[in-house]
Amino acid sequence: MRTTVGIIGAGPAGLLLARLLHNAGIDSVVLESRDRAYVERRQRAGILEQGTVDVLRAAGAGKRMDREGLRHDGIELRFGRRRHRVDFPALTGGRSVMVYAQTEVCKDLIALQLEDGGPLLFEAEALAVEGAGTDRPRIRFRHGGADGAAGTEDVLECDYVVGCDGYWGIARTAVPDGRTFERTYPFGWLGILADVAPSHDELVYARHDRGFALLSMRSPSVSRLYLQVPADTDADSWSDDEIWAELERRFETDDDWTLHRGPITQKSVTPMRSYVHEPMRHGRLFLAGDAAHIVPPTGAKGLNLAVGDVVTLARALAHRAGTGSDALLDAYSASCLRRVWQAERFSYDMTTLLHRDPAATPFEDRLQVARLDRIASSRAAETDLAEAYTGFPIG
């Protein structure tokens, strides 16, 4: 097999890159190790920045998002039983965010790719990237192999390879002499999906002495909620009643607001870590999304960073096809990393602002409250949060 751009991974980064390249007249092949059903049901991010929403619309992948997604014009911060709303459009010149699950983004992009895009091969496991430092890189992969069968090995010859296969994929390890920066946090998120209407019409971020809590949603009838828990927590060690009781404690306010309970359909624990791999390129191999960087979910940046990467890369590849110049490809890593580090900074700030470190002193607890007080009382501090939350410029 031969193509211009070989893409490893059919998550949102790989699928959107394939769509952007198709729209620019550049052929690609997407290799995905899992089957279609798995890709379309894996639960991940649910908040789309303004820039991500604009990119999906421009790519022709925004129709269902605009019909079913939930536009949010702010978030609520809770601390000390108080409530403070951050008004995004008023602080950012009209920007907002969209609640639309990553699973739905993937479904939309898969449908478009299968309808009129290049080949999208499910159950095609990338085994190695070869010749990344040459002008003829190759991806060795195994295709098929369902129901215990060995599958068939094949080679995809490319002009460029893009690793969108996450932290555990093979692309990241094919970049020699890379430097990594990381931090692991001493807590995680116990997340639940519940068949109950959200108890608030916008996301609620709560700082409490017992730990952080987040009220989110997947639809008008499905709530997504999180509790800060120790990093080694087993989700099944929490009963449904214990989860709801703890959420009620952490969201408590001095007014008559109440948390609606409902059947819990899913429980899981998400670890919290920050990670950056530099550079994001080696020869004709480029990294995008979680293959190059991971953020704690507090700032809602993971999926949006991946979108920024592939928009930057698609633009550079189109520039190369149209002009013969490698200038934008050569600038890819540095250009993306400027945005990545701002998102890492914001995600770290939000995480340390709202989560209680198990080793925190009373002095550090008071500093958290002082930081929240500053946001609630200063338009400048509130604007900084709103601008970062709704998204940093792409490119």
Side-chain angles (χ1 to χ4, degrees):
M1 296 179 66
R2 173 153 188 86
T3 190
T4 302
V5 182
I7 301 171
I8 307 173
L15 291 167
L16 179 58
L17 177 60
R19 183 65 186 173
L20 295 173
L21 293 177
H22 171 77
N23 290 348
I26 299 172
D27 62 292
S28 68
V29 173
V30 182
L31 305 176
E32 168 55 47
S33 62
R34 303 284 193 163
D35 63 25
R36 179 177 180 178
Y38 180 91
V39 174
E40 291 187 338
R41 69 171 180 263
R42 60 187 164 196
Q43 293 290 330
R44 293 292 189 273
I47 304 296
L48 308 183
E49 296 174 353
Q50 182 71 64
T52 296
V53 170
D54 295 342
V55 166
L56 290 172
R57 287 171 177 157
K63 290 182 180 178
R64 193 164 69 92
M65 173 190 70
D66 284 331
R67 186 171 65 249
E68 300 179 12
L70 307 174
R71 172 181 164 137
H72 280 200
D73 287 336
I75 58 173
E76 183 173 289
L77 301 176
R78 291 192 185 179
F79 58 103
R81 303 178 65 93
R82 296 158 52 194
R83 305 171 64 177
H84 176 77
R85 181 175 185 267
V86 179
D87 186 330
F88 292 156
L91 296 163
T92 64
R95 298 211 307 265
S96 62
V97 297
M98 181 82 75
V99 175
Y100 191 63
Q102 176 175 311
T103 50
E104 306 310 312
V105 173
C106 287
K107 289 175 186 176
D108 296 341
L109 290 169
I110 286 170
L112 287 169
Q113 188 72 6
L114 295 177
E115 180 181 343
D116 61 11
L120 166 53
L121 306 182
F122 292 104
E123 298 180 274
E125 179 187 6
L127 302 174
V129 177
E130 300 172 341
T134 73
D135 60 359
R136 296 292 297 273
R138 300 153 36 109
I139 306 171
R140 280 196 302 107
F141 70 98
R142 182 185 298 113
H143 195 204
D147 300 322
T152 303
E153 284 203 20
D154 204 343
V155 172
L156 177 62
E157 296 184 347
C158 322
D159 293 332
Y160 304 94
V161 175
V162 185
C164 303
D165 51 344
Y167 178 82
W168 300 107
I170 58 107
R172 182 180 64 85
T173 60
V175 178
D177 303 322
R179 187 178 181 191
T180 61
F181 305 83
E182 57 188 314
R183 171 169 182 159
T184 300
Y185 298 86
F187 42 75
W189 278 8
L190 171 60
I192 65 166
L193 279 174
D195 286 338
V196 61
S199 302
H200 194 62
D201 55 3
E202 294 176 337
L203 273 69
V204 178
Y205 288 79
R207 186 269 175 202
H208 193 278
D209 288 342
R210 296 176 63 91
F212 169 75
L214 172 63
L215 185 156
S216 183
M217 63 282 294
R218 283 293 177 263
S219 74
S221 60
V222 177
S223 292
R224 183 76 159 146
L225 301 109
Y226 300 92
L227 285 169
Q228 177 188 342
V229 294
D232 60 354
T233 296
D234 177 2
D236 291 331
S237 68
W238 284 71
S239 71
D240 291 6
D241 285 342
E242 287 172 332
I243 291 171
W244 287 118
E246 189 62 25
L247 286 165
E248 287 171 347
R249 290 187 194 100
R250 298 189 192 183
F251 286 124
E252 62 188 359
T253 62
D254 282 333
D255 59 17
D256 59 357
W257 182 89
T258 57
L259 179 68
H260 305 314
R261 295 190 179 200
I264 293 176
T265 60
Q266 185 184 106
K267 299 178 193 175
S268 61
V269 173
T270 301
M272 304 285 281
R273 60 192 296 249
S274 301
Y275 173 87
V276 180
H277 183 285
E278 296 187 5
M280 292 173 57
R281 174 193 182 184
H282 169 63
R284 294 199 171 198
L285 168 62
F286 298 82
L287 303 180
D290 285 0
H293 41 72
I294 294 171
V295 290
T298 325
K301 291 287 168 237
L303 168 59
N304 297 291
L305 274 182
V307 169
D309 293 344
V310 298
V311 168
T312 301
L313 183 54
R315 188 181 299 149
L317 289 166
H319 181 74
R320 174 67 173 80
T323 68
S325 170
D326 284 332
L328 295 186
L329 287 171
D330 292 340
Y332 169 76
S333 183
S335 178
C336 288
L337 284 169
R338 283 192 295 272
R339 189 171 189 266
V340 166
W341 277 110
Q342 284 302 316
E344 292 281 356
R345 185 270 307 171
F346 175 68
S347 298
Y348 171 84
D349 285 350
M350 286 286 283
T351 301
T352 57
L353 173 70
L354 294 162
H355 293 75
R356 191 173 191 284
D357 191 312
T361 64
F363 178 84
E364 290 165 321
D365 289 338
R366 290 298 182 93
L367 284 182
Q368 275 189 319
V369 176
R371 290 167 65 191
L372 286 160
D373 272 328
R374 175 65 177 168
I375 293 169
S377 61
S378 165
R379 185 176 179 87
E382 193 178 25
T383 299
D384 183 62
L385 187 156
E387 289 180 342
Y389 197 99
T390 55
F392 300 104
I394 295 176

